[in-house]
């Protein structure tokens, strides 16, 4: 708590509110007593000025383009760590020792299989179902298969549910892909790494073994790290809000997946690649830049802009380099990558984008990499959900353990009709 207080004058009365300090970042005014004191609420659609919780997981300085997980910069983690290690870090607060990492990896590896009956659940979906629709359904259904880890008040059950979710998500995601491709499901293999195993479950078929390329495994692992957590974004807040009622973890993560699906959030990488394909060639870029700037045109440059980053998204820097490495290694000469790089340069030098501080976000280049690896666009958001599961789970655990936690219940500014008497239909 800071020594500062914030004073508010309402109707001639003055009220003082404590100002809280974080370890870094903006201070926060504690308005919990505001309604009790003044009979007024705050109005903040989109939560642009509201801290919904206290958290020690992830810090973002959007003006400086900084993203830290438990204090470690995302660039260092993406270049030097692994997704398993970052998962441990997010869940436990510290980097693991070699033994702790081995034990954690062993535990996750041994939870990768899903209940065999879950395969029948997939068969209820149409083959042309969007894989995110399948993800929402199947992850929500996990609570019907793993009752023994749904007691949120038991720390051991919470831990098991967390491990199950992180471990099974690649299997579930690969199965969603296999189902839509009309190919048989592929069981996990425990001798492969988390990421290599996922690629194999996705791309191997009984007729032909898939040997994951180390460059692709490395790129995919980086993509997972870059998406692992991102503070109180829409889907994470959804998970916390769902969890605040005491809902089980599988239901909460399914709610997060549903939120992530939206094009303004996780769906943006799919939308960004579709946009790049629509633009097609470098000479058409000015036309699309003009459309993005036209207030009468709903078109937006997908993969550009961010609620929090008003600077280059640090994840986009790693993503651009990874895209270059993957395309080179796979020998893919994708004209879309040229369109992306040129579009970025033009936008970064355009007064409209400079003034509004619109920079490429993590989704701008990820689609180029994922499509070079062989993923269809519908799978992009699924991959995001897979990687973000650890963040959701870590945030959910943090919330459950927080003594200040309450059921999330925002208030409103009511502008509907005031009380009036019911009129029978015959008299209307
Ligand atoms: N292209 C053109 N103009 C834009 C863009 C864009 N991508 N993004 C924002 N603007 C403009 C808006 O029109 C608005 O202009 P105005 O002030 O003249 O009305 C101004 O910039 C501010 O935009 P808001 O929508 O108010 O900003 P907000 O913080 O609410 O939105 C968002 C952020 C949703 C990410 C937005 O920038 C956007 O729609 N981007 C495209 C979608 C996208 O890439 N989403 C991925 C986000 S990252 C993630 O989820 C992993």
């Amino acid at each position: 708590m800071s020594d500062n207080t914030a004073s508010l004058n309402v109707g001639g009365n003055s009220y003082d509110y404590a100002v809280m300090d974080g370890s870094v970042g903006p201070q926060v005014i504690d308005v919990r007593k505001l309604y009790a004191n003044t009979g007024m609420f705050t109005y903040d659609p989109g939560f642009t000025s509201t801290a919904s919780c206290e958290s020690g997981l992830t810090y973002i300085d959007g003006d400086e383009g900084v993203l830290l997980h438990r204090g470690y910069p995302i660039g260092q983690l993406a270049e030097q760590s692994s997704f398993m290690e970052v998962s441990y870090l997010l869940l436990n607060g510290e980097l693991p020792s070699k033994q702790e990492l081995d034990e954690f990896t062993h535990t996750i590896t041994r939870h990768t299989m899903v209940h065999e009956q879950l395969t029948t659940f997939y068969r209820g979906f149409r083959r042309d179902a969007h894989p995110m629709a399948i993800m929402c359904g199947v992850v929500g259904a996990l609570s019907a298969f793993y009752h023994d880890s749904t007691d949120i008040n038991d720390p051991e059950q919470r831990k098991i549910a967390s491990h199950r979710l992180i471990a099974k998500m690649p299997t579930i995601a690969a199965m969603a892909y296999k189902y839509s491709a009309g190919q048989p499901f592929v069981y996990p293999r425990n001798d492969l790494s988390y990421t290599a195993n996922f690629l194999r479950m996705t791309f191997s078929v009984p007729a032909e073994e898939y040997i994951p390329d180390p460059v692709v495994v490395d790129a995919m692992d980086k993509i997972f790290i870059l998406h692992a957590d991102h503070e109180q974004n829409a889907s994470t807040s959804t998970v916390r809000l769902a969890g605040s009622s005491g809902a089980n973890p599988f239901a909460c993560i399914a709610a997060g997946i549903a939120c992530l699906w939206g094009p303004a959030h996780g769906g943006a990488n799919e939308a960004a690649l579709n946009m790049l394909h629509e633009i097609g060639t470098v000479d058409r870029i000015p036309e699309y830049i003009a459309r993005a700037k036209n207030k009468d045109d709903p078109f937006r440059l997908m993969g550009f802009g961010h609620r929090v980053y008003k600077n280059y998204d640090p994840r986009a820097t790693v993503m651009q380099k990874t895209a270059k490495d993957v395309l080179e290694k796979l020998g893919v000469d994708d004209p879309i990558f040229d369109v992306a790089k040129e579009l970025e340069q033009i936008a970064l030098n355009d007064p409209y984008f400079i003034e509004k501080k619109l920079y490429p976000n993590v989704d701008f280049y990820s689609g180029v990499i994922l499509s070079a690896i062989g993923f269809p666009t519908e799978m992009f958001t699924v991959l995001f959900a897979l990687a973000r599961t650890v963040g959701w789970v870590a945030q959910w655990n943090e919330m459950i353990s927080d003594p200040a936690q309450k059921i999330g219940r925002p208030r409103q500014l009511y502008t509907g009709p005031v009380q009036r008497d019911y009129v029978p239909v015959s008299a209307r």
Side-chain angles (χ1 to χ4, degrees), residues 337-353:
F337 189 46
D338 296 330
V339 174
K341 282 189 297 186
E342 187 63 21
L343 180 62
E344 176 187 342
Q345 279 319 308
I346 293 178
L348 287 178
N349 289 302
D350 188 296
Y352 173 93
F353 292 88

Side-chain angles (χ1 to χ4, degrees), residues 178-257:
K178 285 299 189 197
Y179 187 72
S180 62
Q183 294 175 2
F185 298 137
V186 176
Y187 288 114
R189 252 183 44 190
N190 287 357
D191 58 329
L192 294 176
S193 71
Y194 184 86
T195 303
N197 187 33
F198 167 65
L199 288 166
R200 184 182 166 276
M201 285 191 290
T202 305
F203 293 120
S204 81
V205 288
E208 199 172 300
E209 186 50 44
Y210 170 86
I211 317 270
D213 183 324
V215 172
V216 173
V217 175
D218 184 59
M220 202 68 233
D221 208 66
K222 280 196 173 64
I223 291 178
F224 288 164
I225 293 172
L226 295 177
H227 286 90
D229 191 47
H230 211 229
E231 210 226 58
Q232 307 311 320
N233 57 83
S235 57
T236 301
S237 298
T238 302
V239 169
R240 279 186 178 257
L241 195 55
S244 75
S245 72
N248 75 68
F250 304 105
C252 296
I253 302 305
I257 292 173

Side-chain angles (χ1 to χ4, degrees), residues 24-299:
V24 59
Q27 293 178 309
V28 167
I29 304 171
D30 181 352
V31 294
R32 278 177 289 186
K33 292 270 183 290
L34 182 79
Y35 178 61
N37 291 158
T38 66
M40 289 183 183
F41 301 135
T42 51
Y43 180 64
D44 186 19
F47 305 114
T48 54
S49 300
T50 298
S52 61
C53 62
E54 202 177 310
S55 179
L57 269 114
T58 293
Y59 172 71
I60 302 174
D61 181 335
D63 293 326
E64 295 298 323
V66 170
L67 167 60
L68 311 175
H69 291 319
R70 303 284 193 187
Y72 296 102
I74 190 66
Q76 290 181 21
L77 293 173
E79 291 301 335
Q80 299 172 49
S81 184
S82 67
F83 182 65
M84 273 300 91
E85 192 176 50
V86 172
S87 298
Y88 183 98
L89 173 70
L90 285 169
L91 286 170
N92 299 292
E94 295 296 336
L95 286 169
S97 65
K98 168 87 176 67
Q99 192 194 338
E100 285 166 337
L101 180 59
D102 288 348
E103 277 170 19
F104 179 70
T105 307
H106 178 88
T107 304
I108 296 298
T109 307
R110 264 135 197 95
H111 274 299
T112 48
M113 280 176 64
V114 292
H115 194 291
E116 191 61 18
Q117 212 180 327
L118 207 66
T119 58
T120 54
F121 200 85
Y122 280 81
R123 298 188 207 288
F125 288 101
R126 284 172 54 135
R127 288 274 174 192
D128 61 357
H130 195 290
M132 279 300 274
I134 298 181
M135 294 298 288
C136 290
V138 173
V139 174
L142 289 180
S143 43
F145 287 86
Y146 302 102
H147 307 274
D148 59 341
S149 55
T150 52
D151 179 356
I152 64 153
N153 298 314
D154 177 348
E156 192 53 28
Q157 289 200 30
R158 290 209 301 271
K159 193 161 126 187
I160 294 170
S162 304
H163 291 163
R164 279 177 166 157
L165 276 157
I166 296 163
K168 293 183 198 311
M169 207 55 90
T171 315
I172 291 169
M175 286 169 80
Y177 171 72
K178 285 299 189 197
Y179 187 72
S180 62
Q183 294 175 2
F185 298 137
V186 176
Y187 288 114
R189 252 183 44 190
N190 287 357
D191 58 329
L192 294 176
S193 71
Y194 184 86
T195 303
N197 187 33
F198 167 65
L199 288 166
R200 184 182 166 276
M201 285 191 290
T202 305
F203 293 120
S204 81
V205 288
E208 199 172 300
E209 186 50 44
Y210 170 86
I211 317 270
D213 183 324
V215 172
V216 173
V217 175
D218 184 59
M220 202 68 233
D221 208 66
K222 280 196 173 64
I223 291 178
F224 288 164
I225 293 172
L226 295 177
H227 286 90
D229 191 47
H230 211 229
E231 210 226 58
Q232 307 311 320
N233 57 83
S235 57
T236 301
S237 298
T238 302
V239 169
R240 279 186 178 257
L241 195 55
S244 75
S245 72
N248 75 68
F250 304 105
C252 296
I253 302 305
I257 292 173
C259 177
L260 186 74
W261 194 1
H265 192 10
N269 50 13
E270 184 174 341
L273 191 75
N274 290 340
M275 178 195 72
L276 292 174
H277 278 292
E278 194 185 314
I279 298 174
T281 49
V282 166
D283 58 300
R284 297 190 63 204
I285 292 173
E287 180 194 328
Y288 283 85
I289 294 272
R291 284 188 60 193
K293 288 158 47 172
N294 182 354
K295 281 278 148 245
D296 299 327
D297 189 331
F299 174 79

Side-chain angles (χ1 to χ4, degrees), residues 280-335:
T281 49
V282 166
D283 58 300
R284 297 190 63 204
I285 292 173
E287 180 194 328
Y288 283 85
I289 294 272
R291 284 188 60 193
K293 288 158 47 172
N294 182 354
K295 281 278 148 245
D296 299 327
D297 189 331
F299 174 79
R300 279 187 172 200
L301 224 47
M302 299 313 286
F304 256 78
H306 198 276
R307 169 59 61 79
V308 178
Y309 292 117
K310 302 302 169 197
N311 201 324
Y312 212 97
D313 179 340
R315 302 168 301 170
T317 318
V318 184
M319 212 53 107
Q320 192 203 45
K321 184 177 171 301
T322 309
K324 190 169 161 289
D325 294 348
V326 169
L327 296 186
E328 260 171 33
K329 175 68 188 18
L330 298 181
V332 177
D333 185 16
D334 191 345

